[in-house]
């Protein structure tokens, strides 16, 4: 139903799937906005919906998560289950664009939460990527897992492949 997603777009089938399954909605009437960045609130909401939108009894510790916002129950669920940790004990950054390394870390924690095998990255050497040393320490195991599982292949640039860990992730990439 989106005017900005057309057959032939590399992300067409992915957007169709996340829309039809209720994991992602548009950003406006008939607009999916595939090129805009995914926010931290968006990614936890997608995972929360994937789990059936459960309600949890967990005290919200993030002061920047507004009670009754469209994403607040998703953040509550993700924090209660160790899927997100936030920037600090009191800050989540719901409206911040999610970086590739943050997305990998959240998906890595979600995979562990689901009891999935995350050993794919244990022997993955990400040092072959030109920017491997720019991956934040907390995200190294997650980026190794993302590369080892084939979820992240890197970005071809003049001079080699990049992980681009601090680049933001678009809605099309997230789909």
């Amino acid at each position: 139903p989106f005017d900005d997603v057309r057959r032939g777009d590399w992300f067409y089938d992915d957007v169709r799937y996340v829309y039809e399954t209720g994991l992602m909605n548009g950003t406006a009437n008939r607009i999916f906005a595939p090129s805009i960045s995914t926010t931290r609130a968006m990614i936890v909401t997608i995972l929360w919906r994937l789990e059936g939108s459960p309600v949890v009894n967990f005290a919200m510790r993030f002061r920047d998560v507004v009670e009754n916002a469209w994403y607040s129950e998703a953040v509550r669920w993700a924090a209660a289950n160790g899927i997100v940790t936030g920037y600090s004990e009191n800050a989540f950054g719901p409206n911040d664009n999610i970086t590739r390394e943050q997305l990998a870390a959240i998906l890595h924690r979600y995979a562990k939460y689901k009891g999935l095998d995350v050993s794919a990255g244990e022997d993955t050497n990400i040092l072959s990527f030109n920017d491997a040393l720019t991956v934040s320490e907390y995200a190294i195991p997650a980026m190794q897992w993302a590369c080892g599982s084939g979820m992240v292949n890197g970005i071809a640039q003049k001079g080699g492949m990049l992980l681009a860990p601090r680049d933001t992730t678009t809605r099309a990439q997230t789909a």
Side-chain angles (χ1 to χ4, degrees):
F2 304 114
D3 293 336
D4 57 350
V5 177
R6 293 172 187 80
R7 287 189 194 278
D9 288 338
W10 65 266
F11 49 83
Y12 177 84
D13 290 334
D14 302 313
V15 171
R16 182 177 177 167
Y17 174 79
V18 296
Y19 174 72
E20 289 178 352
T21 57
L23 298 176
M24 291 178 79
N25 298 318
T27 58
N29 188 29
R30 301 188 54 82
I31 301 295
F32 184 77
S35 299
I36 70 166
S37 295
T38 304
T39 65
R40 291 168 54 82
M42 287 177 189
I43 192 62
V44 295
T45 300
I46 292 165
L47 295 176
W48 177 68
R49 289 175 179 162
L50 188 59
E51 288 298 306
S53 305
V55 176
V56 295
N57 185 14
F58 184 75
M60 182 63 70
R61 65 181 192 259
F62 301 125
R63 292 187 185 134
D64 58 353
V65 175
V66 179
E67 199 63 37
N68 297 319
W70 60 270
Y71 56 82
S72 52
E73 282 303 310
V75 174
R76 184 184 318 279
W77 165 81
N81 289 293
I83 297 164
V84 296
T85 57
Y87 294 130
S88 70
E89 186 66 26
N90 298 315
F92 176 69
N95 298 315
D96 293 354
N97 294 332
I98 195 162
T99 65
R100 290 167 54 90
E101 69 181 4
Q102 289 172 347
L103 180 60
I106 289 171
L107 293 177
H108 186 246
R109 287 187 213 112
Y110 178 70
K112 286 182 179 179
Y113 163 79
K114 294 296 289 180
L116 301 174
D117 180 9
V118 294
S119 64
E122 290 174 0
D123 296 326
T124 302
N125 182 355
I126 61 173
L127 292 176
S128 62
F129 293 94
N130 291 355
D131 59 349
L133 297 178
T134 66
V135 175
S136 299
E137 187 175 341
Y138 80 90
I140 291 171
M143 288 300 272
Q144 288 175 306
W145 167 75
C147 290
S149 68
M151 187 182 332
V152 171
N153 297 314
I155 300 168
Q157 294 284 325
K158 184 178 179 180
M161 295 293 284
L162 300 177
L163 287 171
R166 308 241 169 105
D167 284 2
T168 58
T169 305
T170 67
R171 287 174 48 85
Q173 292 167 332
T174 301

